[in-house]
PDB file of all heavy atoms in Angstrom:
ATOM      1  N   ASP A 109       5.585 -28.494  31.645  1.00 86.00           N
ATOM      2  CA  ASP A 109       4.852 -28.887  32.849  1.00 86.00           C
ATOM      3  C   ASP A 109       3.697 -27.953  33.198  1.00 86.00           C
ATOM      4  O   ASP A 109       3.003 -28.159  34.192  1.00 86.00           O
ATOM      5  CB  ASP A 109       5.816 -28.941  34.046  1.00 86.00           C
ATOM      6  CG  ASP A 109       6.933 -29.965  33.829  1.00 86.00           C
ATOM      7  OD1 ASP A 109       6.657 -30.989  33.180  1.00 86.00           O
ATOM      8  OD2 ASP A 109       8.057 -29.707  34.294  1.00 86.00           O
ATOM      9  N   THR A 110       3.500 -26.905  32.389  1.00 86.00           N
ATOM     10  CA  THR A 110       2.434 -25.940  32.668  1.00 86.00           C
ATOM     11  C   THR A 110       1.061 -26.580  32.473  1.00 86.00           C
ATOM     12  O   THR A 110       0.860 -27.388  31.556  1.00 86.00           O
ATOM     13  CB  THR A 110       2.570 -24.715  31.736  1.00 86.00           C
ATOM     14  OG1 THR A 110       3.847 -24.132  31.935  1.00 86.00           O
ATOM     15  CG2 THR A 110       1.490 -23.683  32.029  1.00 86.00           C
ATOM     16  N   LYS A 111       0.118 -26.201  33.322  1.00 87.00           N
ATOM     17  CA  LYS A 111      -1.251 -26.689  33.213  1.00 87.00           C
ATOM     18  C   LYS A 111      -2.119 -25.642  32.514  1.00 87.00           C
ATOM     19  O   LYS A 111      -2.060 -24.457  32.854  1.00 87.00           O
ATOM     20  CB  LYS A 111      -1.833 -26.991  34.599  1.00 87.00           C
ATOM     21  CG  LYS A 111      -1.074 -28.049  35.391  1.00 87.00           C
ATOM     22  CD  LYS A 111      -1.165 -29.406  34.714  1.00 87.00           C
ATOM     23  CE  LYS A 111      -0.460 -30.477  35.542  1.00 87.00           C
ATOM     24  NZ  LYS A 111      -0.487 -31.790  34.876  1.00 87.00           N
ATOM     25  N   ALA A 112      -2.910 -26.088  31.561  1.00 83.00           N
ATOM     26  CA  ALA A 112      -3.855 -25.204  30.870  1.00 83.00           C
ATOM     27  C   ALA A 112      -5.041 -26.049  30.446  1.00 83.00           C
ATOM     28  O   ALA A 112      -4.968 -26.799  29.466  1.00 83.00           O
ATOM     29  CB  ALA A 112      -3.201 -24.526  29.659  1.00 83.00           C
ATOM     30  N   GLU A 113      -6.139 -25.907  31.175  1.00 82.00           N
ATOM     31  CA  GLU A 113      -7.303 -26.760  30.941  1.00 82.00           C
ATOM     32  C   GLU A 113      -8.324 -26.144  29.983  1.00 82.00           C
ATOM     33  O   GLU A 113      -9.245 -26.824  29.554  1.00 82.00           O
ATOM     34  CB  GLU A 113      -7.992 -27.072  32.283  1.00 82.00           C
ATOM     35  CG  GLU A 113      -7.083 -27.732  33.309  1.00 82.00           C
ATOM     36  CD  GLU A 113      -6.634 -29.119  32.885  1.00 82.00           C
ATOM     37  OE1 GLU A 113      -7.313 -29.717  32.028  1.00 82.00           O
ATOM     38  OE2 GLU A 113      -5.614 -29.592  33.402  1.00 82.00           O
ATOM     39  N   ASP A 114      -8.151 -24.849  29.675  1.00 86.00           N
ATOM     40  CA  ASP A 114      -9.129 -24.220  28.794  1.00 86.00           C
ATOM     41  C   ASP A 114      -8.438 -23.247  27.833  1.00 86.00           C
ATOM     42  O   ASP A 114      -7.266 -22.907  27.992  1.00 86.00           O
ATOM     43  CB  ASP A 114     -10.212 -23.487  29.599  1.00 86.00           C
ATOM     44  CG  ASP A 114      -9.628 -22.485  30.591  1.00 86.00           C
ATOM     45  OD1 ASP A 114      -8.810 -21.645  30.180  1.00 86.00           O
ATOM     46  OD2 ASP A 114      -9.986 -22.551  31.783  1.00 86.00           O
ATOM     47  N   GLU A 115      -9.217 -22.817  26.850  1.00 85.00           N
ATOM     48  CA  GLU A 115      -8.696 -21.932  25.795  1.00 85.00           C
ATOM     49  C   GLU A 115      -8.179 -20.612  26.358  1.00 85.00           C
ATOM     50  O   GLU A 115      -7.144 -20.090  25.921  1.00 85.00           O
ATOM     51  CB  GLU A 115      -9.805 -21.673  24.772  1.00 85.00           C
ATOM     52  CG  GLU A 115      -9.408 -20.727  23.655  1.00 85.00           C
ATOM     53  CD  GLU A 115     -10.583 -20.340  22.771  1.00 85.00           C
ATOM     54  OE1 GLU A 115     -11.712 -20.787  23.058  1.00 85.00           O
ATOM     55  OE2 GLU A 115     -10.370 -19.582  21.806  1.00 85.00           O
ATOM     56  N   GLU A 116      -8.894 -20.060  27.335  1.00 79.00           N
ATOM     57  CA  GLU A 116      -8.524 -18.756  27.886  1.00 79.00           C
ATOM     58  C   GLU A 116      -7.151 -18.804  28.541  1.00 79.00           C
ATOM     59  O   GLU A 116      -6.334 -17.892  28.386  1.00 79.00           O
ATOM     60  CB  GLU A 116      -9.579 -18.297  28.885  1.00 79.00           C
ATOM     61  CG  GLU A 116      -9.434 -16.846  29.308  1.00 79.00           C
ATOM     62  CD  GLU A 116      -9.491 -15.887  28.141  1.00 79.00           C
ATOM     63  OE1 GLU A 116     -10.297 -16.097  27.214  1.00 79.00           O
ATOM     64  OE2 GLU A 116      -8.706 -14.915  28.135  1.00 79.00           O
ATOM     65  N   THR A 117      -6.865 -19.871  29.268  1.00 84.00           N
ATOM     66  CA  THR A 117      -5.556 -20.009  29.911  1.00 84.00           C
ATOM     67  C   THR A 117      -4.452 -20.133  28.864  1.00 84.00           C
ATOM     68  O   THR A 117      -3.371 -19.568  29.019  1.00 84.00           O
ATOM     69  CB  THR A 117      -5.536 -21.237  30.833  1.00 84.00           C
ATOM     70  OG1 THR A 117      -6.615 -21.159  31.756  1.00 84.00           O
ATOM     71  CG2 THR A 117      -4.228 -21.321  31.598  1.00 84.00           C
ATOM     72  N   VAL A 118      -4.732 -20.859  27.791  1.00 86.00           N
ATOM     73  CA  VAL A 118      -3.762 -20.997  26.703  1.00 86.00           C
ATOM     74  C   VAL A 118      -3.429 -19.629  26.118  1.00 86.00           C
ATOM     75  O   VAL A 118      -2.253 -19.293  25.894  1.00 86.00           O
ATOM     76  CB  VAL A 118      -4.302 -21.925  25.598  1.00 86.00           C
ATOM     77  CG1 VAL A 118      -3.372 -21.904  24.375  1.00 86.00           C
ATOM     78  CG2 VAL A 118      -4.451 -23.350  26.113  1.00 86.00           C
ATOM     79  N   LYS A 119      -4.452 -18.809  25.883  1.00 80.00           N
ATOM     80  CA  LYS A 119      -4.243 -17.468  25.330  1.00 80.00           C
ATOM     81  C   LYS A 119      -3.410 -16.597  26.267  1.00 80.00           C
ATOM     82  O   LYS A 119      -2.515 -15.868  25.836  1.00 80.00           O
ATOM     83  CB  LYS A 119      -5.588 -16.789  25.060  1.00 80.00           C
ATOM     84  CG  LYS A 119      -6.349 -17.344  23.875  1.00 80.00           C
ATOM     85  CD  LYS A 119      -7.651 -16.580  23.679  1.00 80.00           C
ATOM     86  CE  LYS A 119      -8.423 -17.076  22.480  1.00 80.00           C
ATOM     87  NZ  LYS A 119      -9.709 -16.330  22.307  1.00 80.00           N
ATOM     88  N   GLN A 120      -3.722 -16.668  27.556  1.00 78.00           N
ATOM     89  CA  GLN A 120      -2.986 -15.867  28.541  1.00 78.00           C
ATOM     90  C   GLN A 120      -1.512 -16.284  28.590  1.00 78.00           C
ATOM     91  O   GLN A 120      -0.614 -15.435  28.621  1.00 78.00           O
ATOM     92  CB  GLN A 120      -3.637 -16.009  29.916  1.00 78.00           C
ATOM     93  CG  GLN A 120      -4.995 -15.330  30.015  1.00 78.00           C
ATOM     94  CD  GLN A 120      -5.653 -15.539  31.368  1.00 78.00           C
ATOM     95  OE1 GLN A 120      -5.075 -16.127  32.266  1.00 78.00           O
ATOM     96  NE2 GLN A 120      -6.872 -15.046  31.525  1.00 78.00           N
ATOM     97  N   ASN A 121      -1.260 -17.599  28.569  1.00 81.00           N
ATOM     98  CA  ASN A 121       0.122 -18.083  28.565  1.00 81.00           C
ATOM     99  C   ASN A 121       0.855 -17.616  27.318  1.00 81.00           C
ATOM    100  O   ASN A 121       2.020 -17.209  27.373  1.00 81.00           O
ATOM    101  CB  ASN A 121       0.150 -19.616  28.630  1.00 81.00           C
ATOM    102  CG  ASN A 121      -0.227 -20.155  29.998  1.00 81.00           C
ATOM    103  OD1 ASN A 121      -0.160 -19.433  30.994  1.00 81.00           O
ATOM    104  ND2 ASN A 121      -0.628 -21.407  30.051  1.00 81.00           N
ATOM    105  N   TRP A 122       0.162 -17.688  26.177  1.00 78.00           N
ATOM    106  CA  TRP A 122       0.753 -17.282  24.889  1.00 78.00           C
ATOM    107  C   TRP A 122       1.215 -15.828  24.959  1.00 78.00           C
ATOM    108  O   TRP A 122       2.334 -15.498  24.557  1.00 78.00           O
ATOM    109  CB  TRP A 122      -0.274 -17.488  23.781  1.00 78.00           C
ATOM    110  CG  TRP A 122       0.207 -17.099  22.403  1.00 78.00           C
ATOM    111  CD1 TRP A 122       0.323 -15.836  21.892  1.00 78.00           C
ATOM    112  CD2 TRP A 122       0.642 -17.986  21.370  1.00 78.00           C
ATOM    113  NE1 TRP A 122       0.788 -15.876  20.610  1.00 78.00           N
ATOM    114  CE2 TRP A 122       0.993 -17.178  20.262  1.00 78.00           C
ATOM    115  CE3 TRP A 122       0.751 -19.373  21.274  1.00 78.00           C
ATOM    116  CZ2 TRP A 122       1.452 -17.720  19.061  1.00 78.00           C
ATOM    117  CZ3 TRP A 122       1.204 -19.918  20.076  1.00 78.00           C
ATOM    118  CH2 TRP A 122       1.551 -19.099  18.990  1.00 78.00           C
ATOM    119  N   GLU A 123       0.341 -14.943  25.448  1.00 75.00           N
ATOM    120  CA  GLU A 123       0.671 -13.514  25.490  1.00 75.00           C
ATOM    121  C   GLU A 123       1.812 -13.231  26.464  1.00 75.00           C
ATOM    122  O   GLU A 123       2.675 -12.393  26.189  1.00 75.00           O
ATOM    123  CB  GLU A 123      -0.573 -12.699  25.865  1.00 75.00           C
ATOM    124  CG  GLU A 123      -1.651 -12.669  24.789  1.00 75.00           C
ATOM    125  CD  GLU A 123      -1.187 -12.064  23.482  1.00 75.00           C
ATOM    126  OE1 GLU A 123      -0.221 -11.267  23.490  1.00 75.00           O
ATOM    127  OE2 GLU A 123      -1.770 -12.374  22.434  1.00 75.00           O
ATOM    128  N   LYS A 124       1.823 -13.927  27.599  1.00 78.00           N
ATOM    129  CA  LYS A 124       2.891 -13.716  28.584  1.00 78.00           C
ATOM    130  C   LYS A 124       4.238 -14.159  28.024  1.00 78.00           C
ATOM    131  O   LYS A 124       5.252 -13.472  28.174  1.00 78.00           O
ATOM    132  CB  LYS A 124       2.571 -14.477  29.869  1.00 78.00           C
ATOM    133  CG  LYS A 124       1.409 -13.891  30.654  1.00 78.00           C
ATOM    134  CD  LYS A 124       1.046 -14.767  31.847  1.00 78.00           C
ATOM    135  CE  LYS A 124      -0.174 -14.231  32.577  1.00 78.00           C
ATOM    136  NZ  LYS A 124      -0.604 -15.129  33.673  1.00 78.00           N
ATOM    137  N   ILE A 125       4.256 -15.318  27.374  1.00 81.00           N
ATOM    138  CA  ILE A 125       5.501 -15.827  26.787  1.00 81.00           C
ATOM    139  C   ILE A 125       5.964 -14.922  25.651  1.00 81.00           C
ATOM    140  O   ILE A 125       7.156 -14.619  25.525  1.00 81.00           O
ATOM    141  CB  ILE A 125       5.309 -17.279  26.285  1.00 81.00           C
ATOM    142  CG1 ILE A 125       5.012 -18.201  27.460  1.00 81.00           C
ATOM    143  CG2 ILE A 125       6.547 -17.753  25.532  1.00 81.00           C
ATOM    144  CD1 ILE A 125       4.543 -19.588  27.053  1.00 81.00           C
ATOM    145  N   LYS A 126       5.012 -14.476  24.829  1.00 76.00           N
ATOM    146  CA  LYS A 126       5.335 -13.586  23.712  1.00 76.00           C
ATOM    147  C   LYS A 126       5.952 -12.283  24.210  1.00 76.00           C
ATOM    148  O   LYS A 126       6.905 -11.759  23.630  1.00 76.00           O
ATOM    149  CB  LYS A 126       4.070 -13.295  22.897  1.00 76.00           C
ATOM    150  CG  LYS A 126       4.305 -12.504  21.628  1.00 76.00           C
ATOM    151  CD  LYS A 126       3.019 -12.393  20.833  1.00 76.00           C
ATOM    152  CE  LYS A 126       3.233 -11.618  19.546  1.00 76.00           C
ATOM    153  NZ  LYS A 126       1.977 -11.515  18.754  1.00 76.00           N
TER     154      LYS A 126
END
Side-chain angles (χ1 to χ4, degrees):
D109 299 327
T110 302
K111 300 295 183 182
E113 303 294 339
D114 54 52
E115 178 188 2
E116 191 58 39
T117 306
V118 172
K119 288 181 178 179
Q120 290 177 4
N121 287 340
W122 180 283
E123 291 300 336
K124 290 174 184 175
I125 296 169
K126 186 174 181 179

